[in-house]
Amino acid sequence: GGGRDRGAGDSRPAQCRMSRADPQDWTFGIGGPGDLAQIADLVNAAYRGEGGSAGWTSEVDMVRGPRTTMELLRKELAESRDAAILLLRESAGLLACVRVERTRGAGGEPACYIGMLAVRPGVQDRGVGRALLEHAEDHGRRFGAQVSRMTVVSVRGSLIAWYERRGYRRTGETEGFPYGDARFGTPLRADLEFVILEKSLRPDPVL
């Protein structure tokens, strides 16, 4: 999902093969230290195809290597009081996660930064990603965010289009890809950069 994290799932085959996602069975929560191994497995499966086929957020043709590790997640949560990893679970296990951080928009307004949106391959195209994205935006609204911001790799046209259908727009800003930073894996092409997407979280004016 939403591109890069600043600084930042059970992988058993039975869960990777899950093909049903019933909203009546979904529960939302906030990830803690005991969830980090599952979160890392989920993110790496969704972004890099580890443990099975990659998902719709896949970067497998752009970057090689793990998307994150349990150690990186633990360090980030310990250092970032303004960040949280939100989880969407079904009784059978972890379906999706997303990272939300309190930040500021381009104009200095209160904002939330959304990143690391990952849906377990096998339960995609069933509204899981959309449901968790909306939950993340509501989480931002609760701490006063007026806009939601995210970064997405510029060559991910179909993913950018998905976010645009969710109300996001390109701001015209870009950020360089962290070439040479092993935490983000090994890039397989030289033209990677991030585009900034933004969405207003303010209530629609009453007509």
Side-chain angles (χ1 to χ4, degrees), residues 43-60:
V43 170
N44 288 327
Y47 282 85
R48 302 289 160 79
E50 296 186 11
S53 59
W56 59 286
T57 54
S58 174
E59 299 168 344
V60 71

Side-chain angles (χ1 to χ4, degrees), residues 170-193:
R170 300 179 193 230
T171 67
E173 305 165 83
T174 61
E175 289 184 7
F177 189 87
Y179 286 96
D181 189 336
R183 293 177 303 168
F184 294 97
T186 304
L188 301 179
R189 47 192 294 178
D191 59 343
L192 301 180
E193 66 176 358

Side-chain angles (χ1 to χ4, degrees), residues 95-141:
L95 296 187
C97 67
V98 66
R99 181 183 180 277
V100 185
E101 181 179 5
R102 189 189 307 241
T103 185
R104 292 280 172 181
E109 68 274 29
C112 64
Y113 177 86
I114 293 178
M116 204 174 72
L117 177 62
V119 177
R120 180 170 297 286
V123 296
Q124 298 176 356
D125 297 323
R126 291 168 177 82
V128 175
R130 179 174 183 169
L132 189 55
L133 178 62
E134 292 174 353
H135 181 67
E137 292 167 353
D138 287 342
H139 181 84
R141 289 186 182 97

Side-chain angles (χ1 to χ4, degrees), residues 103-106 109-113 140 144-149 168 198-202:
T103 185
R104 292 280 172 181
E109 68 274 29
C112 64
Y113 177 86
Q146 297 177 11
V147 296
S148 171
R149 289 170 63 84
Y168 285 82
E198 192 169 277
K199 174 182 177 177
S200 173
L201 299 182
R202 299 178 182 90

